[in-house]
């Protein structure tokens, strides 16, 4: 007899939920620190400290995002609401893909920016763990162009990420309060057991 097909999960797994909210909190912290260190009137030492925190949190987001992608590869997410129109469904998938791309690309671009900087300031994550520059960048003969390009991409990407996060949060709240479906609830932490929480591919 053929193997029975596993039912679709009703919720994201606890691990996926933990990844989601941890990354969300860290990304918000990154955006706040980034805006402060580039636009606020700060003493040089305070600005330097914020840059160090920004780099540390950025690398943390990169690592967590890669781990989350690895987890997702083996754990099927719950399906979108059956009543969702095809166009909206496609937009949701596209928005998620772009979000994944941004939260991985932005730390990489920032890493390249730091590696190309003429100041050659070392990165020490949280003041404890030394983090190397990107070898492919440090060996380039003309790092000034890489630094300028990375700075532009990083700044523009941050504003695009802010816009996408607002759209993402707005869509989740619309599903919860207007459409009254389970789209948001399936990603909210739960203290009790849930049916069909884990469904490996």
């Amino acid at each position: 007899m053929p193997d029975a097909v596993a039912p679709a999960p009703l919720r994201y797994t606890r691990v996926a939920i933990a990844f989601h909210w941890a990354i969300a909190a860290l990304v918000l912290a990154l955006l706040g620190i980034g805006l402060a260190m580039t636009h606020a009137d700060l003493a040089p030492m305070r600005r330097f400290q914020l840059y160090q925190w920004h780099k540390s949190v950025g690398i943390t987001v990169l690592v967590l995002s890669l781990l989350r992608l690895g987890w997702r590869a083996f754990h099927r997410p719950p399906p979108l609401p059956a009543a969702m129109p095809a166009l909206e469904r496609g937009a949701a998938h596209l928005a998620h893909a772009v979000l994944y791309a941004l939260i991985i690309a932005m730390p990489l671009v920032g890493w390249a920016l730091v590696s190309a900087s003429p100041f050659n300031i070392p990165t020490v994550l949280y003041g404890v763990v030394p983090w190397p520059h990107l070898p492919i960048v440090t060996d380039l003969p003309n790092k000034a162009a890489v630094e300028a390009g990375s700075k532009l991409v990083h700044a523009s990407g941050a504003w695009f990420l802010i816009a996408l996060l607002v759209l993402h949060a707005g869509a989740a709240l619309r599903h919860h309060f207007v459409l009254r479906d389970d789209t948001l609830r399936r990603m909210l932490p739960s203290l009790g057991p849930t049916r069909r929480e884990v469904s490996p591919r």
Side-chain angles (χ1 to χ4, degrees), residues 25-47:
L26 291 174
V27 167
L28 290 177
L30 272 176
L31 293 170
I33 294 171
L35 290 172
M37 72 190 195
T38 54
H39 296 286
D41 184 16
L42 301 171
M45 183 52 67
R46 176 62 64 186
R47 193 182 305 276

Side-chain angles (χ1 to χ4, degrees), residues 70-94:
W71 179 264
R72 185 186 176 101
F74 296 98
H75 297 81
R76 181 174 49 170
L80 293 171
M84 183 181 290
L87 184 60
E88 189 175 343
R89 187 183 299 269
H93 286 309
L94 178 61

Side-chain angles (χ1 to χ4, degrees), residues 55-126:
K55 291 190 291 183
S56 297
V57 177
I59 293 299
T60 304
V61 167
L62 174 62
V63 172
L64 289 179
S65 299
L66 293 175
L67 289 174
R68 181 183 178 184
L69 274 180
W71 179 264
R72 185 186 176 101
F74 296 98
H75 297 81
R76 181 174 49 170
L80 293 171
M84 183 181 290
L87 184 60
E88 189 175 343
R89 187 183 299 269
H93 286 309
L94 178 61
H96 278 99
V98 175
L99 268 175
Y100 269 112
L102 276 175
I103 61 177
I104 291 174
M106 287 290 286
L108 289 174
V109 173
W111 190 4
L113 172 59
V114 170
S115 303
S117 172
F119 299 108
N120 196 32
I121 298 174
T123 297
V124 183
L125 303 183
Y126 304 103

Side-chain angles (χ1 to χ4, degrees), residues 19-29 68 165:
F19 275 136
H20 176 275
W21 292 110
I23 292 171
L26 291 174
V27 167
L28 290 177
R68 181 183 178 184
L165 287 175

Side-chain angles (χ1 to χ4, degrees), residues 1-7:
M1 294 179 62
D3 294 336
V5 178

